[in-house]
Amino acid sequence: MRAAVITSRDGPDAVRVLEVPEPRPAAGQVVVDVRCAGVAFPDVLQTRGEYQLRPELPVVPGWEVSGVVRADAGGFRAGDRVAAMPVLGGLAETVAVDPAMVFPLPDTVPFDAAAAVPLNYLTAHLALGRRARLRTGETVLVHGAAGGLGTAACQLAAAAGARVVAVVSSARKAEVARAAGAHDVVPADGFRDAVHRLTGGRGVDVVVDPVGGDRFPDSLRCLAREGRLLVLGFTGRGIPAVAVDRLLPGNTTVVGVASAELWRAEPEYPRQQWRDVEPLLRSGAVDPPIGAVHPLADTAEALRSLDERRAVGRVLVRVRD
Ligand SMILES: NC(=O)c1ccc[n+]([C@@H]2O[C@H](COP(=O)([O-])OP(=O)(O)OC[C@H]3O[C@@H](n4cnc5c(N)ncnc54)[C@H](OP(=O)(O)O)[C@@H]3O)[C@@H](O)[C@H]2O)c1
């Protein structure tokens, strides 16, 4: 089969599309013939060996896919349309996935959109629900709001009845964040003052932060009383430090969110989450904005677009037509 392969830990440029053997499924695994793969920032980190999981090379990256089940296994039937999270191996014509990470796909959801759902929507579901305990009527500030995790957070927060304020770095990204359900959009530069104005000085209840870096201190200052700041990632490249005395006056909570670790510890949890997300997929409340669709041969360019902050909305690789 054809697959995108990380040949050395030198970033997206070291990804080559090669002929490799098909994966041999372990007992109970579901073999999926891949139609589309979502390209996410963890795949970019993987190309440099900067992701928490550091497999031996060569390795096929690819966190999430959509496709068709090849043979009966793990409670699925041959021909079932599914979305899945193999974590590794998705950027290939075929992948073997643990059944706990395979999800039934409603007939109305196209393969393109489906490939963009599992990782980011289930992570945003965990972050906003279980970790932040978001309530209807609260205000949520979303950094990187035109990115994969950002658009998922905007859509799920809006669907939960929150007011969503998006933080983005360009006018094009502002459009995508609005289309994903953001009620207000503020620029990354000077977001703190803009949030202050928009909320009449009150601040927001929850900050969704997949960016980190030097935004972190101002994110803390944007929080209303008993606000929660969700730490999700560091696309801004810097790991912020927090002086804990800053947390006292506002009764502030800084919350770590790591979906992969939680899914490993609680294998039944992703399916439970999917049961919450599936009705939103059917209703259209979950509808990932697709920014670019690349052929498998252009996987390196798909990864580069995220690495270089050019991606707007989700970036996909169409593996088969
Ligand atoms: N904790 C978890 O469970 C979990 C799960 C999934 C993903 N993540 C993490 O979440 C983060 C976002 O992933 P994603 O797939 O949503 O990425 P993405 O689609 O590339 O979006 C990331 C956003 O970060 C912003 N950004 C700021 N500085 C950047 C820079 N120097 N380079 C690139 N982007 C920059 C960009 O928005 P602006 O240009 O508008 O600022 C961009 O839209 C990653 O760190 C990923 O590892 C965490």
Side-chain angles (χ1 to χ4, degrees):
M1 67 170 188
R2 289 167 70 238
V5 182
I6 300 174
T7 54
S8 67
R9 295 197 174 96
D10 295 309
D13 290 345
V15 173
R16 308 261 177 278
V17 175
L18 304 172
E19 270 304 317
V20 300
E22 280 200 353
R24 289 212 182 156
Q29 277 193 320
V30 181
V31 175
V32 178
D33 286 326
V34 176
R35 296 291 289 271
C36 265
V39 177
F41 212 84
D43 300 317
V44 177
L45 296 175
Q46 194 65 259
T47 66
R48 296 207 175 82
E50 290 173 355
Y51 192 63
Q52 49 262 47
L53 207 101
R54 219 162 172 265
E56 277 181 29
L57 301 188
V59 69
V60 178
W63 241 99
E64 57 181 353
V65 300
S66 61
V68 177
V69 172
R70 186 182 284 182
D72 296 2
F76 291 89
R77 307 296 303 266
D80 281 353
R81 300 171 80 251
V82 292
M85 287 195 289
V87 181
L88 287 170
L91 282 155
E93 288 178 327
T94 299
V95 66
V97 193
D98 289 337
M101 295 291 240
V102 184
F103 315 105
L105 201 57
D107 286 342
T108 49
V109 181
F111 284 118
D112 286 13
V117 174
L119 173 61
N120 289 319
Y121 284 85
L122 298 191
T123 297
H125 174 276
L126 161 69
L128 295 168
R130 180 164 162 173
R131 302 296 288 135
R133 305 209 174 280
L134 178 67
R135 292 181 291 268
T136 306
E138 288 193 315
T139 302
V140 180
L141 184 75
V142 180
H143 286 288
L149 191 51
T151 48
C154 288
Q155 283 190 351
L156 289 188
R163 176 185 179 191
V164 179
V165 181
V167 184
V168 294
S169 65
S170 72
R172 175 82 191 93
K173 290 185 177 183
E175 273 173 42
V176 170
R178 274 192 203 284
H183 302 93
D184 299 288
V185 182
V186 301
D189 282 341
F191 73 90
R192 177 186 164 197
D193 290 342
V195 167
H196 191 80
R197 278 194 301 275
L198 271 176
T199 60
R202 177 185 176 274
V204 302
D205 301 290
V206 174
V207 175
V208 174
D209 186 10
V211 175
D214 56 12
R215 293 188 193 185
F216 196 84
D218 276 347
S219 291
L220 276 181
R221 292 186 187 104
C222 281
L223 285 171
R225 274 190 294 118
E226 295 191 57
R228 292 86 83 199
L229 196 165
L230 296 162
V231 178
L232 282 139
F234 310 102
T235 55
R237 302 310 203 261
I239 310 275
V242 51
V244 291
D245 60 335
R246 292 239 188 111
L247 308 182
L248 263 54
N251 284 280
T252 299
T253 309
V254 176
V255 187
V257 184
S259 51
E261 283 70 10
L262 211 139
W263 293 331
R264 257 198 304 281
E266 296 182 24
E268 73 291 350
Y269 185 53
R271 285 269 188 95
Q272 289 171 17
Q273 294 186 281
W274 191 262
R275 282 195 282 276
D276 287 347
V277 169
E278 199 182 319
L280 301 174
L281 255 177
R282 287 181 193 278
S283 72
V286 161
D287 183 14
I290 308 303
V293 184
H294 298 264
L296 184 63
D298 290 349
T299 299
E301 168 53 20
L303 290 160
R304 265 194 302 270
S305 69
L306 271 73
D307 194 29
E308 296 169 2
R309 204 176 174 177
R310 288 185 278 114
V312 181
R314 280 314 304 272
V315 174
L316 302 179
V317 164
R318 187 171 293 138
V319 177
R320 307 167 194 254
D321 286 322

